[in-house]
Amino acid sequence: MTTQWRWWMLGVPTAVALENGLALTPPMGWMTWQRYRCNMDCDSDPSTCINEQLIKEMADRMAEDGWLEAGYRYVSIDDCWMTKERDAQGRQVADPKRFPSGMAALGDYIHGKGLKFATYGDIGAKTCQGFTGFQGHFEQDAQTFAEWKVDYLKVDGCFESPKDMARDYPAFGAALNQTGRPIVYSCSWPAYMPSHCEKSDHCMDSLVEHCNLWRNFDDVQDSWDSVKSIANFWRRRNASDEMVRAAGPGHWNDPDMLLVGDFGLSPSQEQTQFALWAIWAAPLFMSNNLRDIKQSSKEILLNREIIAVNQDLLGHQGFCVGGCDGDLRIWAKPLVGGETAAVLQNLQEGGDGENITLTMAMLPWKSRRIFKARDLFAQQDLGLFREELTLYVHVNSCRMVRLSDVIEMMV
Ligand SMILES: *[C@@H]1O[C@H](CO)[C@@H](O)[C@H](O)[C@H]1NC(C)=O
Ligand SMILES: *[C@@H]1O[C@H](CO)[C@@H](O)[C@H](O)[C@H]1NC(C)=O
Ligand SMILES: *[C@@H]1O[C@H](CO)[C@@H](O)[C@H](O)[C@H]1NC(C)=O
């Protein structure tokens, strides 16, 4: 164990962190964007357009079907809830046709179900879809969201010069803070920077200081290719990587929404996306139709043992520890109490499968000789192992395990 590992494990922050007491574990919820986009045609598509009915129906499902109990508590309305012009007082307003009761009433409805109210805006002149942006109205808009009792705000970066983001994201965060209402602040800033806030951009420290989470990379699309490209962004980033180290309680990297329950992934690819997002300590936002979701998708999303890996209080982001350049990859995450979670992923596209071997020597944080392993998808104990664990993994699939110390188990 080198000195570097030791201070990393002790959780010494790399920068001053935002301390609003929020998002101490990765936030979980449901978000409109991936599945419902900017569909405003409620005449033709009454059940899939962005309106208050959609949001209320999803809130009902979240509260009644076990989602909230499992930890999914934020109901998030992404772009296209607002108008293209401000009102006479210069305030943002919800589209009166699609949100006739207004945002405050919708927030009350969501809160009435025991859920949290999340929504979206843009730091620039307009949102990505061309609606009112915050530029020139930071204090007023922050005040409006606080009055609406918003709990979580995703702030996009369209119609803004990337060179102004280092000034504007912290300034809007300060405006949110001054409202006195605790609001989780999600910044899309690095997704717009040439090196995603690393290296020459020099914004990683500022992100940790001013934001609770941030979108690092491309928007997720409903396809396996999209999931693979996001995983490729992460696969060579190890524990000494600035971006991996930036994650921790109150400040998280956000690889974007879950596709589980949508159309683009096979059941084993759905498992793989969920396993990776869990091991990365990523925010878990579904974007699916909770009114009509396959049982197999629901089981993946409600897997308590995998959610526990994601929500582990140590708050370390997992990373690739073996086979990172190839098709048989091993990802791992240290957990509270010296336990470890790992994902053994087979990216091959032909044949049946391969054995993948995780050795304790691959783990930088602890070297255990004998350990107990549990299969988190099968929810089965696999037994005791010495030095290494070999599992057979089908192509296009993964296995996820939790390793615990035998010695600790016997105490
Ligand atoms: C505002 O910032 C201060 C200083 O970091 C912090 O203690 C406080 O909790 C913040 N308040 C809100 C409402 O975010
Ligand atoms: C982490 O990645 C960096 C950059 O790719 C590399 O130089 C370093 O050796 C890696 N460290 C470990 C422990 O793999
Ligand atoms: C995988 O490992 C098991 C147990 O060691 C062995 O029986 C099996 O033949 C291996 N399969 C392949 C495809 O290597």
Side-chain angles (χ1 to χ4, degrees), residues 19-21 176-177 180-183:
E19 284 182 11
N20 58 5
L176 281 180
N177 180 282
R181 183 171 176 83
I183 299 178

Side-chain angles (χ1 to χ4, degrees), residues 263-340:
F263 307 104
L265 306 187
S266 71
S268 62
Q269 290 167 344
E270 288 193 340
Q271 286 187 330
T272 305
Q273 191 199 14
F274 196 61
L276 291 177
W277 263 238
I279 211 118
W280 293 338
L284 299 179
F285 276 83
M286 313 179 276
S287 186
N288 51 14
N289 183 3
L290 297 175
R291 299 164 299 195
D292 178 20
I293 178 168
K294 287 190 299 283
Q295 189 56 30
S296 60
S297 301
K298 195 169 171 181
E299 277 168 20
I300 292 168
L301 291 163
L302 291 177
N303 184 315
R304 299 295 179 101
E305 297 188 41
I306 295 179
I307 291 173
V309 168
N310 174 263
Q311 298 286 301
D312 185 83
L313 294 176
L314 200 58
H316 279 300
Q317 178 167 337
F319 49 89
C320 187
V321 297
C324 310
D325 290 320
D327 282 343
L328 304 177
R329 274 181 215 162
I330 300 170
W331 306 81
K333 177 184 197 292
L335 306 174
V336 158
E339 299 196 347
T340 294

Side-chain angles (χ1 to χ4, degrees), residues 25-241:
T25 61
M28 298 170 64
W30 178 93
M31 190 176 277
T32 51
W33 183 257
Q34 198 297 118
R35 179 73 173 250
Y36 301 94
R37 303 286 162 144
C38 193
N39 183 356
M40 295 186 286
D41 189 355
C42 296
D43 294 332
S44 312
D45 304 323
S47 68
T48 56
C49 71
I50 304 297
N51 66 2
E52 64 184 40
Q53 195 56 32
L54 177 79
I55 305 307
K56 286 180 174 178
E57 287 178 10
M58 292 305 168
D60 293 348
R61 299 279 54 80
M62 283 176 77
E64 290 163 32
D65 296 349
W67 302 102
L68 173 58
E69 252 185 296
Y72 296 94
R73 55 176 52 85
Y74 292 97
V75 182
S76 182
I77 315 165
D78 208 88
D79 205 347
C80 306
W81 57 265
M82 62 297 261
T83 51
K84 292 197 169 165
E85 305 293 339
R86 291 171 176 271
D87 73 7
Q89 286 76 45
R91 289 177 305 210
Q92 295 226 52
V93 275
D95 182 291
K97 191 152 170 263
R98 291 178 292 115
F99 291 86
S101 314
M103 292 292 266
L106 187 52
D108 286 345
Y109 186 90
I110 290 168
H111 288 140
K113 300 271 162 182
L115 297 156
K116 299 274 189 194
F117 181 25
T119 191
Y120 167 101
D122 191 289
I123 202 80
K126 293 177 192 177
T127 71
C128 296
Q129 299 297 317
F131 296 91
T132 48
F134 300 162
Q135 202 175 91
H137 296 265
F138 285 6
E139 281 75 23
Q140 183 177 32
D141 289 348
Q143 199 54 45
T144 301
F145 291 116
E147 281 165 16
W148 290 346
K149 303 200 182 77
V150 166
D151 303 300
Y152 176 119
L153 194 65
K154 171 177 161 188
V155 181
D156 217 334
C158 284
F159 297 96
E160 161 96 347
S161 164
K163 70 174 166 41
D164 295 335
M165 290 184 179
R167 178 194 66 207
D168 288 348
Y169 273 103
F172 188 74
L176 281 180
N177 180 282
Q178 274 149 31
T179 68
R181 183 171 176 83
I183 299 178
V184 175
Y185 185 29
S186 164
C187 302
S188 297
W189 178 6
Y192 291 89
M193 302 302 285
S195 82
H196 308 283
C197 267
E198 291 184 301
K199 300 174 195 147
S200 52
D201 296 337
H202 302 299
C203 33
M204 216 63 225
D205 286 353
S206 186
L207 274 176
V208 173
E209 190 178 345
H210 298 286
C211 304
N212 290 117
L213 63 154
W214 48 86
R215 286 285 322 288
N216 304 78
F217 187 61
D218 296 347
D219 284 3
V220 74
Q221 307 294 331
D222 192 6
S223 76
W224 181 235
D225 277 349
S226 171
V227 172
K228 279 193 294 188
S229 78
I230 293 169
N232 283 340
F233 177 79
W234 288 107
R235 69 181 161 146
R236 289 197 197 85
R237 296 173 187 275
N238 60 31
S240 38
D241 181 84

